[in-house]
Amino acid sequence: MIAPTPSELEILNILWKSGEATTQIVNDQLNLTRPVGYTTTLKTMQLMTEKGLLDRRKEGKSHVYFALSDESKTKSHLLDKIIQTTFGGSTSGLLMQLFGNKAVSQDEIVQIRAFLDGMEDKNHG
Amino acid sequence: MIAPTPSELEILNILWKSGEATTQIVNDQLNLTRPVGYTTTLKTMQLMTEKGLLDRRKEGKSHVYFALSDESKTKSHLLDKIIQTTFGGSTSGLLMQLFGNKAVSQDEIVQIRAFLDGMEDKNHG
DNA sequence: CTTGAACTACGAAAGTATTCGTATATATTT
DNA sequence: AAATATATACGAATACTTTCGTAGTTCAAG
């Protein structure tokens, strides 16, 4: 599994959401959050393509990029890593931290409840 | 809030657990997991002291180091960061990922529900 | 008070990630 | 087909982190 760097993850998040996009579009999206030069984004996406994180197809004079790495697998892997390094491998340690010290909105609690309901149904059925 | 680097976090975890320790002890602990030179550990701890992550007192010819940064605050901060960068700011997104790809026992679900109950009581009270 | 073991200080190299300038290529417009 | 706009390719600079060698310090034992 190839772990993306922070910058690469930003780009992956954009491509996972939009399915595919040109460098221009990705760069515009990035610049909604922070300033970054066009060629910087281009270079990063080229490196990601070499690494096998992305692939691309030619369209007119530009390239259209799309993610090869699986969203769920990648995020799961990143999560495992922080559980390992920050919480000594303990998933419940992470949960305690999350619930014990962080404000979680009512909406999110509702969402989490619904999710747990679904899981329990699965377990019982 | 000063975010520790990965290497710094390893050292913090050791000091949070033991309260305080010399470079020697920290380095020995690190070497249970991976090989790292004594002066590497020393240098890192010196940098951490400059940054205000650690402080130390002289004892004999060596220094005894201890963490200045709060464990819970630091972990909470790291967690916030991954929630932001990886899950678009959605805590429930993280939980779904966690529950979706890992086996979570019925006991843990019950525990989490109890947590949520407690939080809601707090919110409403 | 000299020797040796353990420790600190610090510069600099090595590794990794990010950034961007500049040259070149491609398509479109006039 | 020349000029313009938009792309790509790529080298190299910058930044950040980690690594360790070497020189010098401190303390204790002989």
Side-chain angles (χ1 to χ4, degrees):
Chain A
M1 159 88 56
I2 307 121
T5 67
S7 285
E8 290 173 346
L9 184 61
E10 286 185 299
I11 290 171
L12 282 174
N13 273 322
I14 291 168
L15 290 175
W16 282 329
K17 188 161 279 179
S18 63
E20 55 175 40
T22 61
T23 305
Q24 194 60 253
I25 292 173
V26 170
N27 188 243
D28 288 349
Q29 285 286 316
L30 289 176
N31 275 276
L32 295 178
T33 305
R34 66 184 180 95
V36 56
Y38 176 84
T39 55
T40 301
T41 302
L42 174 64
K43 176 73 159 188
T44 305
M45 290 171 77
Q46 285 170 345
L47 288 174
M48 290 172 78
T49 303
E50 272 181 32
K51 286 190 193 178
L53 292 172
L54 305 183
D55 200 359
R56 64 189 194 179
R57 61 187 161 76
K58 193 114 195 184
E59 189 155 297
K61 71 178 149 183
S62 57
H63 285 127
V64 178
Y65 287 84
F66 48 96
L68 286 185
S69 61
D70 180 68
E71 177 172 8
S72 183
K73 278 204 179 79
T74 301
K75 291 186 173 182
S76 184
H77 186 247
L78 291 171
L79 208 43
D80 281 354
K81 234 169 52 177
I82 202 179
I83 288 172
Q84 192 57 45
T85 59
T86 306
F87 298 99
S90 156
T91 300
S92 51
L94 181 148
L95 290 172
M96 305 274 165
Q97 185 66 49
L98 203 58
F99 293 135
N101 289 70
K102 197 184 172 316
V104 179
S105 76
Q106 186 63 30
D107 276 0
E108 289 200 307
I109 292 176
V110 169
Q111 255 183 301
I112 294 162
R113 274 187 189 289
F115 192 81
L116 292 178
D117 287 344
M119 274 187 54
E120 283 192 321
D121 287 351
K122 228 190 254 178
N123 289 345
H124 295 153
Chain B
M1 160 85 58
I2 307 121
T5 67
S7 285
E8 291 173 344
L9 184 60
E10 286 185 299
I11 290 171
L12 282 174
N13 274 321
I14 290 168
L15 290 175
W16 283 329
K17 188 161 282 181
S18 63
E20 56 175 40
T22 60
T23 306
Q24 194 59 253
I25 291 173
V26 170
N27 187 244
D28 288 349
Q29 284 286 316
L30 290 176
N31 275 277
L32 294 178
T33 305
R34 65 182 179 97
V36 55
Y38 177 85
T39 55
T40 301
T41 302
L42 174 65
K43 175 72 160 190
T44 304
M45 290 171 77
Q46 285 170 344
L47 289 173
M48 290 171 79
T49 303
E50 273 181 33
K51 286 190 194 176
L53 292 173
L54 304 184
D55 200 0
R56 65 189 194 178
R57 62 189 160 75
K58 192 113 196 186
E59 190 156 299
K61 70 179 151 182
S62 58
H63 285 126
V64 178
Y65 287 83
F66 49 94
L68 286 186
S69 61
D70 181 68
E71 176 173 8
S72 183
K73 278 204 178 80
T74 301
K75 291 186 172 183
S76 185
H77 186 247
L78 291 171
L79 209 42
D80 281 355
K81 233 169 53 175
I82 203 180
I83 287 171
Q84 193 58 44
T85 59
T86 306
F87 298 99
S90 157
T91 301
S92 49
L94 179 148
L95 290 171
M96 310 259 161
Q97 185 66 50
L98 205 58
F99 296 147
N101 288 62
K102 277 204 179 302
V104 179
S105 71
Q106 186 64 30
D107 277 359
E108 280 191 301
I109 293 177
V110 169
Q111 229 180 329
I112 293 162
R113 279 190 184 286
F115 264 125
L116 293 177
D117 288 344
M119 285 189 50
E120 282 191 324
D121 287 351
K122 230 190 254 176
N123 289 344
H124 294 155

